[in-house]
């Protein structure tokens, strides 16, 4: 028996198939993973993401602290509620976790980190926070629902108190705000528009029911994974971990190199790898043959070398199998993947595969 | 509760067998198996004419979630495969004991039914797995 979110009873009532995810009993799907996937691409779906770890950081020097702790630069966060996606690196430049940081005040930033990495993240953050007199406060009492899809904001707006509703609907991408008891942010992990709503554990079941009543489809971790794969959003533990640099995980765009005198943890090894022409590529693959690409399958690039699929699966939107893979340096546009001893043809494609309901690759 | 037709035999690998009038045996996966797998997206079928050994893998069913081997429940030769699964693997989800059949095997010797399970025995296995 794992930990249960405040919405566990709702999942059980709805007949969800429950699986263990990082020590949490979470819904995998409520009947059909594919239908849940399509609901998010075409209408609106919701995910219980209460297992994720919310950490509030307070202190006079919290901004300085985060400019050292995170590979992206919180100096970019100047507007209240603005969010930034970033990696937190170890001294070797490997990824401890990927996270979102929100600017909620000059002495208050909020981090949302992964559930499976909670303990090591908190230990790492606390260890470094000491030098900056920053208070680290895990908000385990909070719940979170991600409402995603082209109709998500419109439907979810009914849960927001009337006095905040208009402002919430005007939130720019990657920005959040406090709306009474709720914290609403225009973020997500699906490649669709939508909100992530943070609330107290007591409020969560009623808000879930309210969203259900407006026609938002409950969606499980299964659909969450195929949606994020189509959007080419990395999954910690699959696409990167502490032994992998963000530069070999398709996350170069999250590294703030300027100003060049900002000393963030892991910068040294990253600078060395940055100019290393042999560093591995992180690419999208489209399977040209029938079959399904899966995590850890071997990618064979003739005359160059071998790589590995870090996230593979079937894309319900495209109707074919896609994958993210770490492959050798070099110029090539196709490769083979070893699927149960057969070498199948894959094409290297520019990601994302799907964004805002539209297929973005040539098929 | 998953559906369990009374006129079939079952295996501990969550497959079912039906004796056909011509002496062949049709094989598929059970309702419990398709439900555990989730939405099927691909089925790799053996070639017609291929020999199979009891316990050896003969097909692969892949869902959005994972790939899973389908084992030959008896010794014999493949005499038919359900070609329609190539374009519509979800037939297995929709009708696991009917349109979602996977292969037909001509047994090479008389079938040892003691190695297979009756509906009651299979139900007991499901109850144990759920407990």
């Amino acid at each position: 028996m794992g930990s249960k979110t405040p919405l566990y009873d709702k999942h059980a009532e709805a007949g969800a198939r429950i699986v263990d995810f990082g020590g949490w009993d979470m819904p995998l799907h409520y009947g059909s993973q594919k239908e849940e996937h399509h609901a998010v691409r075409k209408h609106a779906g919701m995910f219980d993401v209460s297992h994720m770890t919310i950490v509030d950081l307070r202190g006079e020097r919290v901004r300085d602290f985060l400019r050292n702790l995170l590979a992206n630069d919180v100096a970019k966060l100047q507007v209240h509620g603005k969010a930034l996606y970033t990696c937190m690196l170890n001294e070797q430049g490997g990824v401890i976790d990927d996270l979102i940081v929100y600017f909620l005040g000059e002495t208050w930033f909020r981090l949302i980190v992964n559930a499976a990495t909670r303990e090591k993240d908190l230990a790492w953050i606390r260890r470094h926070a000491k030098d900056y007199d920053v208070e680290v406060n895990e908000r385990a009492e909070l719940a979170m629902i991600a409402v995603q899809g082209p109709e998500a904001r419109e439907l979810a707006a009914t849960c927001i108190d009337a006095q905040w509703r208009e402002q919430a609907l005007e939130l720019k991408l990657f920005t959040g705000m406090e709306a009474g008891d709720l914290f609403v942010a225009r973020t997500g992990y699906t490649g669709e528009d939508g909100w992530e709503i943070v609330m107290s554990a007591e409020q969560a079941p009623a808000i879930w029911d309210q969203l259900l009543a407006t026609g938002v489809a409950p969606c499980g971790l299964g659909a969450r994974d195929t949606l994020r794969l189509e959007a080419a959003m990395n999954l910690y533990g699959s696409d990167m971990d502490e032994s992998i640099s963000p530069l070999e995980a398709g996350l170069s765009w999250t590294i703030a190199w300027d100003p060049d005198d900002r000393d963030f943890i892991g910068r040294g090894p990253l600078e060395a790898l940055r100019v290393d022409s042999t560093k591995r590529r992180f690419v999208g693959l489209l399977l040209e043959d029938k079959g399904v690409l899966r995590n850890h399958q071997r990618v064979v690039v003739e005359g160059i070398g071998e790589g590995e699929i870090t996230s593979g699966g079937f894309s319900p939107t495209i109707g074919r199998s896609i994958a993210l893979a770490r492959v050798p340096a070099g110029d090539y546009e196709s490769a083979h993947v070893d699927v149960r001893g057969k070498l199948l043809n894959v094409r290297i494609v520019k990601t994302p595969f799907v964004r805002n309901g539209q297929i973005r690759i040539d098929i | 509760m998953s559906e369990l037709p009374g006129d079939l035999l079952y295996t501990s690998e969550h497959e079912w067998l039906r004796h056909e009038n011509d002496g062949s045996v049709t094989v598929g996966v059970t309702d419990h198996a398709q439900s555990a797998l989730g939405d099927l997206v691909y089925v790799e079928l053996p070639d017609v004419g291929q020999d199979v050994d009891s316990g050896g893998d003969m097909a692969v069913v892949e869902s959005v979630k994972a790939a899973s081997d389908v084992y030959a429940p008896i010794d014999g030769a493949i005499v038919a495969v359900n070609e329609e699964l190539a374009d519509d693997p979800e037939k297995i989800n929709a009708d696991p004991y009917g349109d979602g059949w996977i292969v037909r095997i001509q047994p090479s010797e008389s079938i040892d039914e003691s190695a297979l399970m009756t509906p009651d025995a299979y139900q007991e296995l499901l109850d144990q797995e759920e407990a």
Side-chain angles (χ1 to χ4, degrees):
Chain A
M1 294 289 270
S3 306
K4 291 178 171 49
T5 77
L7 292 166
Y8 178 83
D9 290 344
K10 292 286 157 199
H11 308 321
E13 265 172 40
R17 179 174 287 270
I18 302 289
V19 293
D20 172 73
F21 182 81
W24 291 83
D25 288 344
M26 298 299 290
L28 180 66
H29 61 74
Y30 301 80
S32 169
Q33 180 175 327
K34 270 172 86 174
E35 280 169 30
E36 292 164 22
H37 179 107
H38 292 312
V40 171
R41 286 274 178 255
K42 292 172 185 161
H43 308 289
M46 59 179 166
F47 305 84
D48 176 11
V49 285
S50 307
H51 59 307
M52 294 193 77
T53 307
I54 301 174
V55 185
D56 282 344
L57 304 174
R58 289 176 192 270
E60 292 297 324
R61 296 175 66 205
V62 62
R63 191 186 283 272
D64 285 346
F65 165 59
L66 290 172
R67 293 194 71 199
N68 176 250
L69 184 78
L70 305 174
N72 211 335
D73 190 355
V74 296
K76 293 175 186 172
L77 300 179
Q78 296 297 336
V79 178
H80 184 91
K82 188 70 187 157
L84 189 68
Y85 173 74
T86 178
C87 290
M88 179 165 75
L89 306 178
N90 60 25
E91 302 285 357
Q92 293 74 42
V95 184
I96 294 175
D97 201 5
D98 62 334
L99 58 93
I100 290 181
V101 52
Y102 292 91
F103 171 54
L104 299 177
E106 211 36 64
T107 59
W108 178 23
F109 284 71
R110 170 170 285 179
L111 309 183
I112 301 189
V113 308
N114 281 303
T117 50
R118 174 184 166 274
E119 277 177 46
K120 69 165 189 176
D121 286 0
L122 284 169
W124 182 261
I125 293 165
R126 288 201 167 107
R127 186 177 132 196
H128 292 278
K130 277 187 207 147
D131 301 339
Y132 292 83
D133 291 322
V134 166
E135 185 191 326
V136 180
N137 185 17
E138 184 192 2
R139 303 293 305 275
E141 78 282 12
L142 296 178
M144 181 156 63
I145 300 173
V147 191
Q148 303 277 293
E151 297 166 13
R153 293 187 304 136
E154 189 192 321
L155 295 174
T158 57
C159 299
I160 309 280
D161 198 89
Q163 61 174 313
W164 307 105
R165 198 173 293 153
E166 199 175 327
Q167 199 188 339
L169 284 167
E170 284 169 3
L171 275 175
K172 292 195 169 62
L173 289 172
F174 244 69
T175 306
M177 62 176 271
E178 288 141 296
D181 295 340
L182 308 178
F183 176 78
V184 182
R186 196 168 170 194
T187 50
Y189 193 48
T190 60
E192 296 298 322
D193 203 347
W195 283 342
E196 291 178 302
I197 308 174
V198 177
M199 66 209 78
S200 71
E202 295 72 38
Q203 288 171 294
I207 290 179
W208 184 268
D209 282 343
Q210 207 177 332
L211 289 166
L212 207 55
T214 64
V216 179
C219 301
L221 292 178
R224 189 167 164 81
D225 192 51
T226 49
L227 287 158
R228 72 92 198 167
L229 176 60
E230 288 185 345
M233 290 172 164
N234 287 32
L235 173 63
Y236 190 82
S238 289
D239 300 308
M240 71 288 197
D241 57 35
E242 292 196 38
S243 70
I244 300 293
S245 160
L247 303 184
E248 293 188 317
L251 296 174
S252 304
W253 62 277
T254 70
I255 311 297
W257 302 102
D258 294 324
D260 55 17
D261 61 348
R262 181 175 68 98
D263 182 28
F264 62 85
I265 298 169
R267 176 156 196 157
L270 228 55
E271 292 278 7
L273 189 62
R274 189 184 183 188
V275 294
D276 183 348
S277 61
T278 66
K279 70 170 168 289
R280 292 168 294 180
R281 300 168 65 188
F282 190 75
V283 296
L285 304 179
L286 174 69
L287 181 62
E288 307 266 29
D289 298 322
K290 288 210 163 197
V292 185
L293 303 172
R294 302 284 181 190
N295 297 15
H296 307 303
Q297 284 169 347
R298 196 165 58 99
V299 182
V300 181
V301 189
E302 216 158 290
I304 293 187
E306 293 188 355
E308 186 181 309
I309 287 179
T310 55
S311 289
F314 182 80
S315 159
T317 306
I318 302 171
R320 308 236 316 250
S321 183
I322 58 172
L324 297 173
R326 197 158 14 254
V327 295
D331 275 333
Y332 49 89
E333 283 162 13
S334 62
H336 292 98
V337 174
D338 182 347
V339 179
R340 292 185 291 275
K342 281 183 210 156
L343 289 179
L344 304 185
N345 293 294
V346 292
R347 189 184 349 135
I348 290 164
V349 295
K350 191 172 180 305
T351 57
F353 303 95
V354 178
R355 188 55 65 91
N356 294 118
Q358 301 299 314
I359 297 172
R360 298 275 293 267
I361 58 168
D362 293 327
I363 52 171
Chain B
M1 271 312 273
S2 61
E3 193 197 335
L4 217 59
D7 59 338
L8 305 179
L9 289 166
Y10 297 87
T11 77
S12 57
E13 301 291 344
H14 304 284
E15 293 167 22
W16 58 261
L17 297 81
R18 177 185 292 119
H19 286 290
E20 305 295 349
N21 292 333
D22 63 359
S24 69
V25 170
T26 302
V27 180
V29 298
T30 65
D31 190 31
H32 171 85
Q34 71 76 21
S35 163
L37 283 162
D39 299 322
L40 270 290
V41 294
Y42 177 65
V43 181
E44 192 175 293
L45 296 164
D47 296 327
V48 173
Q50 186 181 321
D51 287 329
V52 293
D53 299 323
S54 173
D57 49 349
M58 61 172 183
V60 181
V61 288
E62 299 216 29
S63 70
V64 276
K65 206 166 72 183
S68 180
D69 285 321
V70 180
Y71 301 99
I74 54 173
D75 293 341
I78 303 287
V79 290
V81 298
N82 187 355
E83 302 280 3
E84 289 187 22
L85 296 179
D87 290 326
D88 198 0
E90 288 196 26
K91 280 187 192 296
I92 292 177
N93 294 117
D95 190 8
Y97 302 111
D99 288 347
W101 67 277
I102 297 173
V103 299
R104 245 173 50 231
I105 302 173
Q106 185 63 47
S108 54
E109 53 193 48
S110 64
I111 296 170
D112 176 12
E113 296 210 348
S114 68
L116 300 169
M117 302 169 101
T118 63
D120 285 347
Y122 182 63
Q123 183 61 56
E124 237 173 79
L125 175 80
L126 293 183
D127 293 344
Q128 278 169 16
E129 284 192 1
E130 272 161 34

